[in-house]
Amino acid sequence: MKKIKYAFLALALVVASSACEIAEVNTDPTRVTGVDLNLMLPEAISQAAYNQSANQARVPGIIMQQFKGFDAQQIQYTDYLITEETWNNYWTTGLYAGVLRSCQVIIDKAKAEGNTYYEAIAKIMMAESYGMAALFFGDIPFSEALKGQENLSPAYDSQQQVLSGVLAMLDDAIALLGSPKGASPGSADLVYQGNAARWIKTAQGLKARYLIQTVKKDAGNAAKALTAARASYVSLAEQSNFKFENNQIGNNPFAKFGTGRPNTLVIDDRFAKNMTDRSDPRRDFYMENTGTQWSFFNLSNAKLVWAKDNSPVPFISYVEVKFIEAEALHRTGAPVADVQAALKTAIAESMKQIGIAEASYTAYADTQSDLTGLSGDAVLQRIIEEAYYAYYGYAFQQVWHNYRRTGYPVLTPSPLGKNGLNPGGGVPKRFLYPTNEVQTNFDNLTAARGRQGGGLMDVAVWAFQ
């Protein structure tokens, strides 16, 4: 509840402050004219965490056959009828008028006050949010975005430019936190309570993510990703968990969806069967069999770790960092023993993350990390397939990104997936731009589509071509 109160209070204060642009003679001395940084930061972090777990997580989960629709629009998503209207709320209130705008206000105010703690944390949240959107859509507004009345129709930057900007932003944040200035945010930092060293590790982990996701365009990014991953977390205790609340207001979006839209979304039978056939110890922590289907949600089942009201969501996990390390080691020609060791740690930490006892996962981790007899693409396939099962519940986007750049795991597209939005009929390769942009930024949107082969869902974004 506290995080939600922070968000509403910050919003109220921003509205109040913007309403104060009156002639001085009419100034009300009791009216708030500014918002303190410690009231702004919780709202920005909360919105960024919500963006990680709402519809923009569920849809990739459906695309990647971890979920399937059982009712309502989830059925349409299962057959790749993912329309422009799907992303209006995310693009507008979640992203540009949400976390990105909030972060920009924080950055501007923090610079004016000489507080590099707030500036750096806001830049990390901004980088993560821009990076996620760029991998979803391709070209997006970046250099001309967030100008307000100065520019209501910003041009689209190329995905390459946006991701380069994301990496630069993360480097800026790391430098700022190396010798932070100003008052620590303390409890206003809902992730680390102002721990600069942990935020640096988070920024390094995010650098590793975006470097490995662009490795098809620059093979040298594998070595850079390895360096960043090794500068990131060394344990689960360090990862950037956002803790949702155990109530019906500030709860995890998956629990909220399960409560508000029961049985419209279920576990894909293929995902359940694969986990059963593999004797994967995580299966009963991800899903339960109701007798007719596999369900991801039941608040009375404490084992379903990712669909509780207070299930945390990491902005990037130690598990992901170790999978990136394993892939980067493989791509840079490291000894197979080193790749195997990193992969085994990634699998084991995925088990620990959800509370599985070591005795219950040792055999699985030993077997699935054994690369004996494998080489080349077969090693990459093993790493990406293990990440597919490890990322369930909190990193569905990364599963889809991994698939789009590697082709793993091998999926059979929906037989009903060929439509006017996805003419090729294959597993979608991008999201469509939202209707709001069609209505308010048509010329720039049209130019962006033209640069990207029309911008339909069967055309790969730059990073994955």
Side-chain angles (χ1 to χ4, degrees), residues 314-327:
F315 289 106
I316 184 168
S317 69
Y318 176 50
V319 175
E320 183 181 343
V321 167
K322 293 305 293 186
F323 273 111
I324 292 171
E325 181 181 346
E327 180 180 347

Side-chain angles (χ1 to χ4, degrees), residues 53-243:
S53 312
N55 203 41
Q56 49 274 20
R58 292 191 298 270
V59 174
I62 292 171
I63 290 173
M64 290 306 298
Q65 300 174 7
Q66 294 174 314
F67 294 135
K68 69 176 181 179
F70 191 74
D71 195 11
Q73 68 264 45
Q74 279 59 244
I75 293 178
Q76 298 175 348
Y77 298 161
T78 302
D79 292 328
Y80 310 152
L81 190 61
I82 307 168
T83 67
E84 294 166 320
E85 288 79 9
T86 305
W87 306 116
N88 280 335
N89 288 340
Y90 165 61
W91 182 281
T92 304
T93 58
L95 191 65
Y96 282 100
V99 63
L100 293 178
R101 180 58 182 160
S102 295
C103 286
Q104 188 62 62
V105 172
I106 292 169
I107 290 167
D108 292 343
K109 186 174 178 62
K111 284 182 175 179
E113 296 182 5
N115 191 308
T116 60
Y117 277 105
Y118 284 93
E119 181 185 351
I121 295 171
K123 283 186 173 182
I124 293 170
M125 292 293 94
M126 180 178 273
E128 188 274 337
S129 299
Y130 268 128
M132 180 165 65
L135 290 179
F136 282 164
F137 299 102
D139 296 5
I140 59 173
F142 181 67
S143 61
E144 294 185 8
L146 310 178
K147 304 294 186 183
Q149 292 290 332
E150 292 181 31
N151 188 351
L152 297 176
S153 300
Y156 283 54
D157 293 82
S158 71
Q159 186 189 56
Q160 182 179 9
Q161 291 171 319
V162 176
L163 293 177
S164 293
V166 163
L167 292 171
M169 212 177 295
L170 292 169
D171 282 334
D172 286 347
I174 291 168
L176 289 169
L177 289 169
S179 300
K181 298 175 182 178
S184 168
S187 61
D189 172 4
L190 301 179
V191 179
Y192 289 129
Q193 293 72 56
N195 187 321
R198 293 286 175 84
W199 276 115
I200 288 173
K201 290 191 174 189
T202 297
Q204 292 285 8
L206 290 170
K207 280 186 62 178
R209 170 188 287 174
Y210 294 116
L211 286 163
I212 205 70
Q213 294 294 3
T214 53
V215 74
K216 285 190 74 173
K217 308 307 291 188
D218 185 349
N221 282 350
K224 296 176 184 177
L226 179 60
T227 298
R230 286 179 164 171
S232 185
Y233 312 131
V234 297
S235 72
L236 289 171
E238 293 185 334
Q239 72 183 28
S240 49
N241 285 340
F242 178 87
K243 299 175 179 65

